[in-house]
Amino acid sequence: MIQKLVKAISEKKAPVVVGLDPMLDYIPAAIKADAFQKYGETLEGAAEAVFVFNKEIVDAASDLIPAVKPQIAMYEQFGVPGLQAYKKTVDYCQEKGLVVIADIKRGDIGSTSGAYAAGHLGAVKVGGNTFAPFDADMATVNPYLGSDGVNPFLEVCKTCDKGIFVLVKTSNPSSGEFQDRSFGDVTLYEAVADRVNAWGSDLMEGEYSNVGAVVGATYPEMGRELRARMPHAYILVPGYGAQGGTGKDLAGFFHKDGLGAIVNSSRGIIAAWKQDKYKEFGEAKFGEASRKAVQDMLDDIRAAVY
């Protein structure tokens, strides 16, 4: 799977991923009004608005980008209808040729982790039938329960040609409360990075492994250090734009050939129409505003890494 992502990044010269993390406040009033007319001001109505909103953004930007990253919490908040909208979003994005990175941050032990891996990336058997419930291409994984929590995902990567991004150094301000703590001669995030190397050694596809890492754009020095520490791990970089990361911060996350990392922007893209910078588009052209925000992001990152 990682080679599919690398190929798409290379062909489009676009090391970016759009985070499809919809909140109702991001959705134009006309879309919500149509959805509520059909389903009422209900969870079903909210889920319909979310999917219609996602679909227009994907239609507007899919030729520019290699991948999307839906954050499942934004769908779970609307219950079962929200999860149905999530699945419809995954399917639609794949139909448009995009790699889907499920931002689920799952990690547990034993059969629980196995169920997460099967449900989101793999398959389950029901009698004599086999189903792939959500069938994303890649997923984010929380490693802080140790190998017990990660191994089921590694097995699914092997058997189903999928990929994962393991949380190593996250972009949020308080991440250092635990991740920066030292024990022995390494920090916790460095120890996790070393485990990413070990986990990924059996899942190589060419230059890169199907086991990647999440490293926040808000920590560029750590990103540079971790790039060297995990030479074969693709790095998923959150924290661009709304969280403060800029293109000039990101060069150290990449290899010299411009590969090795993919940068996420969520509300900076999907809620672009609400920003003063893109106010000319207005609500009616929110998809065009998102496309322009993607183009601006690409210009910024390309200038820094190519």
Side-chain angles (χ1 to χ4, degrees), residues 169-181 218-219 222:
K169 176 61 183 171
T170 57
S171 60
N172 56 301
S174 65
S175 65
E177 291 179 3
F178 300 120
Q179 295 168 20
D180 295 359
R181 293 292 182 95
T218 46
Y219 300 103
M222 294 175 182

Side-chain angles (χ1 to χ4, degrees), residues 30-92:
I31 290 178
K32 289 186 284 190
D34 286 348
F36 294 160
Q37 184 175 16
K38 291 178 183 177
Y39 299 100
E41 293 183 349
T42 61
L43 294 175
E44 289 78 8
E48 172 69 7
V50 162
F51 177 67
V52 172
F53 177 70
N54 285 349
K55 187 174 180 291
E56 184 155 343
I57 289 171
V58 170
D59 288 345
S62 61
D63 63 313
L64 301 176
I65 60 174
V68 293
K69 184 177 70 65
Q71 164 51 256
I72 199 167
M74 302 306 180
Y75 303 84
E76 288 178 339
Q77 66 181 327
F78 300 119
V80 171
L83 285 175
Q84 291 171 331
Y86 170 82
K87 174 58 175 169
K88 287 168 66 177
T89 296
V90 170
D91 291 347
Y92 188 74

Side-chain angles (χ1 to χ4, degrees), residues 19-36:
L20 295 177
D21 304 351
M23 300 288 286
L24 284 181
D25 287 347
Y26 301 167
I27 300 176
I31 290 178
K32 289 186 284 190
D34 286 348
F36 294 160

Side-chain angles (χ1 to χ4, degrees), residues 18-19 29 52 85 95 115 118-119 132-133 139 146 152 159 163-164 167 180 191-192 204 232 247 254 265 270 290 305:
V18 172
V52 172
E95 289 170 9
T159 58
I164 60 173
L167 304 183
D180 295 359
V192 175
M204 295 293 296
H232 302 296
F254 290 81
S265 180
I270 66 174
S290 292
V305 304

